[in-house]
Amino acid sequence: MDRNLLDQLQNGDVFGTDGEKIGSVGQVYLDDVTNEPTFVTVKTGLFGAKETFVPLQQAQTTADGVTVPYTKEFVKDAPNVDADGSLTPEEEQRIYEYYSMDYAAADHADRREVVDAPAAGVVETERREVADADSVVVKDESLQVGTERRATGRVRLRKQSYTTTETVEVPVTREEVVVERVAVDPNSAEARDSAADGEVEVTTYEETPVVNKTVEAEKVSLGKRTVQDTETVSEELRHEDVTIDGDTDRDGRLR
């Protein structure tokens, strides 16, 4: 990268999201592939005695240094990693995890930090490279099971009317006229009083069925409910691997 820009970053300050100065830049760590700044250490604490790592992934350079999307207190509480010019993969992963950044182990497992500062306080990284050779691609299938929603049926609720006939036997009573004849003494007072013509009237009654209808009502609703169930899914998976055949030397290495 441009040496003047690197020197400007090295000699600048680090500011937080609220514009407050967090501290001055201590060291700059460069990516070994892109040669771009990856981390800076910020001198904090009393007289700048402590150096804290800050990633530059979302930082913005300014005339006075660099502004990072973090507060001063958040940076000061970062993991305690010695700024000794070397970062192990474990230390680098701790920094990434603290700042909620993705850390791909495959991209960092073969990295080692070396001190080769072209300017004071600048640390560069280099990556161990593997010489090009014949290679094969192996594949490994994995099973991913999800669910999909499909219709299984349709239900309708329809109202219809029909009639039925109900027969009920109802007991009823009625009155009948009964004529009774009883002999009496002709000389009795009762016989003498009824010598004149007369009539007697009797009213008869009977019961007749009276029908009344009563109505009962209920509300019928049509709804759905979800029932949890489990189904077993089986699928064959294809896996590939490699074996190495060839002559070896006395140390067990392939020749």
Side-chain angles (χ1 to χ4, degrees), residues 2-144:
D2 183 77
R3 183 57 57 190
N4 293 330
L5 182 59
L6 186 61
D7 291 341
Q8 177 183 351
L9 181 62
Q10 168 65 31
N11 297 321
D13 295 322
V14 179
F15 299 89
T17 53
D18 54 359
E20 182 181 3
K21 178 181 176 181
I22 300 176
S24 59
V25 176
Q27 301 182 69
V28 181
Y29 283 69
L30 304 181
D31 186 272
D32 61 325
V33 177
T34 64
N35 206 33
E36 294 292 331
T38 304
F39 299 101
V40 295
T41 60
V42 186
K43 296 180 180 179
T44 61
L46 186 62
F47 305 112
K50 179 183 178 183
E51 292 190 38
T52 304
F53 280 86
V54 182
L56 297 176
Q57 182 174 348
Q58 299 178 353
Q60 295 181 352
T61 56
T62 63
D64 298 328
V66 61
T67 300
V68 296
Y70 312 107
T71 63
K72 181 176 181 179
E73 295 300 323
F74 186 78
V75 173
K76 291 175 62 178
D77 293 336
N80 186 16
V81 178
D82 293 333
D84 55 2
S86 177
L87 273 180
T88 65
E90 292 77 11
E91 292 174 333
E92 192 173 2
Q93 183 175 4
R94 288 173 55 196
I95 298 174
Y96 272 81
E97 290 178 348
Y98 177 77
Y99 288 97
S100 300
M101 299 170 58
D102 292 334
Y103 180 85
D107 294 339
H108 302 82
D110 294 334
R111 289 182 58 172
R112 57 187 177 91
E113 311 285 340
V114 297
V115 178
D116 184 14
V122 178
V123 179
E124 291 184 339
T125 65
E126 74 176 6
R127 183 187 300 271
R128 295 196 298 270
E129 300 291 342
V130 179
D132 293 337
D134 293 336
S135 61
V136 295
V137 177
V138 295
K139 300 178 181 179
D140 191 71
E141 295 181 345
S142 60
L143 188 62
Q144 296 181 351

Side-chain angles (χ1 to χ4, degrees), residues 126-220:
E126 74 176 6
R127 183 187 300 271
R128 295 196 298 270
E129 300 291 342
V130 179
D132 293 337
D134 293 336
S135 61
V136 295
V137 177
V138 295
K139 300 178 181 179
D140 191 71
E141 295 181 345
S142 60
L143 188 62
Q144 296 181 351
V145 181
T147 60
E148 65 176 2
R149 186 180 179 88
R150 62 183 181 89
T152 57
R154 183 175 296 175
V155 179
R156 293 187 180 92
L157 185 64
R158 180 182 297 124
K159 176 183 176 181
Q160 61 184 8
S161 300
Y162 63 96
T163 60
T164 60
T165 301
E166 184 175 356
T167 302
V168 179
E169 292 186 358
V170 182
V172 295
T173 62
R174 61 186 176 84
E175 298 177 343
E176 296 179 346
V177 176
V178 178
V179 178
E180 296 182 355
R181 296 176 180 273
V182 180
V184 296
D185 185 1
N187 297 318
S188 63
E190 181 179 4
R192 290 193 302 269
D193 292 340
S194 61
D197 294 336
E199 67 179 21
V200 176
E201 182 178 331
V202 176
T203 302
T204 59
Y205 296 91
E206 68 175 357
E207 295 179 342
T208 59
V210 178
V211 178
N212 290 320
K213 295 181 180 180
T214 60
V215 179
E216 294 182 356
E218 64 178 357
K219 181 179 179 181
V220 180

